[in-house]
Amino acid sequence: MGISYGVLFAIMGLLLLHPTIGLKNTVADPYRPLGWISYVTIESFGSMVVQCYWALVNSSVDVNFAKKNFGYIVAGAQIGSILGPTLATQADWLGIATLYLLGSVIMFLMVSAMFLYVRQFGMPQDEKEEEEEKHSRDGGREKKRKEAKSEEGVMEGFNLFYEHDYVKGIFAVSSLYMVQVTVIDYMMKVLAKERYAAMYPADPQQAMRAFAAFMGFFGQTTNSISFLFSLFGTGMVIKRCGLTNTLIAFPVLMLVCTVLVWLHPDIWTVFAVMMVVKGMSYALNNPTKEILYQMTSTSIKFKCKSWIDTFGQRCSKAAGSIITNSFASSIVDLTNYGSLVGVAIAAFLIWVSAYMGKQFEQLSAAGEKVGEASPQLVAQLQLLREQALRQQNLDVREEEALDTSCSVEEEGQAQSDHPPVSVRV
């Protein structure tokens, strides 16, 4: 997958240098395909490659390693998120096409690093796969396993989502805020483009480079906030305030930020709001969302989580894009109606967060997990299995005793049918 994205970034970087397809053509046209391809590639990269990386990490380490070192992995990721926008701030002299080509080089370096890692340390087989392989020796179980596997597919995550209300709550906490983030992000980019277009009216290329530098500065500040808060604030807030209050804190922050944007819809207010919302979504909302998954089954963690991260957030972004597209002709209408939608979503998420925090505490106290049988039911089923096994052993013993008695009777009958013959000499 990394090779595919490396090739795509390289192709896009070269096409950006083309006189008609690339940046030298300053005529704005919504039907120019390179912009759409670039957007889809970058958005899918965030969903697919990062998710595959975490799947690789989770399959390669044990729980103790994860507890001790996952924080460092996240911190390292945030450092990379800071260095990337730092390069973007130099778009004025590097050029946007060069940034795409650098992204391609980084993709190939990532693939090389992972290849060397797997070659050096190998990939341990998942314990679940070993257990399935062990049970597959039995013919009936093998057939059932194949039938169940054939039914798995893209929609399995949706089926788990539909079945459990707790998972629906995780979906809301994980995805719905992206509707408002998409609206505010669009407002910030529109205001920034207008600002730099007014600053460089005779040089659209310079205006574009200034906008790229502005977005790079935005990435630097956002990821710096996330990095610092992840190291020093996330654990402290969860420990002191509890999970429920921490879950509620983020939609409350979204509500306050939405009101601020509605009251002061200028470039720097929107910039500050986006900086805080993005940073806190990484440092506050994401960790609490992952904690909610602790009270779910393995199937939900790997299959439904994948569906939520891939499709749920993209659908929320699509919903936000519908709002921005509907009011794109007027920034005033976009501010008013977008803020109204944001207030409604934030209020709903406050209620959902309170509900999810309560459900988490109840499941944690009971020692239950969503998607798995309760401990009481497991104990009952275990007792029934033991009783059935004892009954089966008793039946086997009775059959063996009956077979033995029948053999003795048959031997005695044979002796009575053929009495001994005396011989006189």
Side-chain angles (χ1 to χ4, degrees):
M1 185 176 292
I3 294 176
S4 301
Y5 280 98
V7 172
L8 283 173
F9 282 123
I11 293 174
M12 288 188 293
L14 295 174
L15 289 177
L16 287 172
L17 298 173
H18 194 273
T20 57
I21 300 176
L23 296 173
K24 293 182 180 179
N25 183 359
T26 59
V27 178
D29 187 353
Y31 296 101
R32 293 174 66 178
L34 187 56
W36 294 102
I37 295 173
S38 176
Y39 176 81
V40 172
T41 301
I42 294 172
E43 287 294 313
S44 63
F45 173 82
S47 299
M48 304 299 293
V49 176
V50 176
Q51 180 179 318
C52 288
Y53 168 77
W54 281 110
L56 175 64
V57 172
N58 285 320
S59 65
S60 303
V61 301
D62 57 18
V63 176
N64 292 328
F65 180 91
K67 290 181 179 179
K68 294 179 180 179
N69 297 285
F70 270 19
Y72 298 112
I73 294 175
V74 173
Q78 292 306 120
I79 293 174
S81 298
I82 295 171
L83 294 178
T86 301
L87 286 174
T89 59
Q90 308 301 317
D92 193 13
W93 66 275
L94 283 176
I96 296 175
T98 304
L99 294 176
Y100 273 82
L101 294 174
L102 284 174
S104 175
V105 172
I106 292 172
M107 287 295 99
F108 288 116
L109 290 175
M110 178 195 72
V111 172
S112 301
M114 296 310 302
F115 174 78
L116 294 175
Y117 173 86
V118 173
R119 186 176 180 179
Q120 178 70 26
F121 300 103
M123 285 296 297
Q125 187 176 16
D126 190 82
E127 293 181 0
K128 186 177 179 181
E129 293 179 355
E130 292 179 352
E131 184 177 354
E132 289 179 354
E133 184 179 353
K134 181 179 179 180
H135 288 301
S136 65
R137 297 174 183 175
D138 181 77
R141 290 181 180 179
E142 173 68 14
K143 182 178 179 181
K144 292 181 180 179
R145 187 179 68 86
K146 289 182 178 180
E147 291 177 353
K149 189 173 181 179
S150 65
E151 295 175 356
E152 294 179 359
V154 178
M155 296 304 294
E156 186 175 2
F158 178 77
N159 293 333
L160 291 170
F161 165 81
Y162 181 78
E163 185 178 353
H164 301 288
D165 292 337
Y166 186 84
V167 181
K168 294 184 182 74
I170 296 179
F171 167 82
V173 172
S174 303
S175 303
L176 290 186
Y177 77 95
M178 291 300 299
V179 176
Q180 184 61 11
V181 169
T182 302
V183 174
I184 300 177
D185 182 68
Y186 178 82
M187 291 176 57
M188 182 186 73
K189 291 175 180 177
V190 169
L191 293 172
K193 285 186 176 180
E194 291 179 350
R195 180 174 186 270
Y196 292 112
M199 290 177 61
Y200 306 101
D203 191 352
Q205 291 293 324
Q206 178 63 30
M208 185 177 299
R209 289 191 292 268
F211 174 76
F214 170 82
M215 294 304 300
F217 176 68
F218 168 74
Q220 281 181 312
T221 53
T222 298
N223 291 293
S224 296
I225 292 174
S226 178
F227 173 74
L228 293 174
F229 195 87
S230 296
L231 284 180
F232 305 111
T234 302
M236 180 188 65
V237 171
I238 295 176
K239 183 177 180 179
R240 292 188 178 182
C241 300
L243 181 66
T244 302
N245 291 330
T246 307
L247 282 169
I248 296 174
F250 183 72
V252 170
L253 179 65
M254 286 291 300
L255 180 62
V256 173
C257 289
T258 301
V259 173
L260 285 176
V261 170
W262 179 68
L263 293 176
H264 303 283
D266 59 85
I267 176 64
W268 296 114
T269 300
V270 177
F271 175 85
V273 164
M274 276 299 299
M275 181 177 62
V276 173
V277 169
K278 281 276 191 177
M280 291 300 100
S281 69
Y282 297 142
L284 193 63
N285 191 60
N286 281 358
T288 53
K289 172 196 71 176
E290 296 298 331
I291 292 175
L292 291 176
Y293 279 108
Q294 295 298 313
M295 293 296 106
T296 62
S297 65
T298 302
S299 296
I300 292 175
K301 288 177 182 176
F302 286 94
K303 298 173 184 177
C304 199
K305 184 179 186 302
S306 173
W307 184 88
I308 290 175
D309 291 344
T310 303
F311 295 99
Q313 293 191 2
R314 302 307 151 197
C315 290
S316 297
K317 283 191 173 184
S321 298
I322 292 174
I323 297 173
T324 58
N325 188 55
S326 300
F327 304 103
S329 59
S330 173
I331 192 67
V332 176
D333 290 340
L334 179 61
T335 301
N336 292 332
Y337 291 104
S339 298
L340 181 63
V341 172
V343 168
I345 292 175
F348 176 71
L349 285 178
I350 291 173
W351 176 78
V352 171
S353 298
Y355 169 80
M356 291 300 295
K358 183 179 179 180
Q359 290 295 310
F360 179 89
E361 298 297 338
Q362 291 177 353
L363 291 169
S364 180
E368 299 178 1
K369 289 188 176 183
V370 177
E372 292 182 356
S374 64
Q376 293 82 3
L377 181 58
V378 171
Q380 292 177 2
L381 292 175
Q382 182 66 24
L383 180 60
L384 291 175
R385 282 195 293 267
E386 292 176 356
Q387 291 176 352
L389 183 60
R390 286 197 295 267
Q391 184 64 37
Q392 183 180 2
N393 293 334
L394 182 61
D395 294 340
V396 170
R397 291 174 183 175
E398 290 178 353
E399 290 178 0
E400 291 177 351
L402 182 60
D403 293 340
T404 303
S405 62
C406 290
S407 298
V408 172
E409 290 178 359
E410 290 175 358
E411 182 179 354
Q413 183 67 28
Q415 291 178 358
S416 64
D417 292 340
H418 304 281
V421 178
S422 59
V423 179
R424 293 181 180 181
V425 179

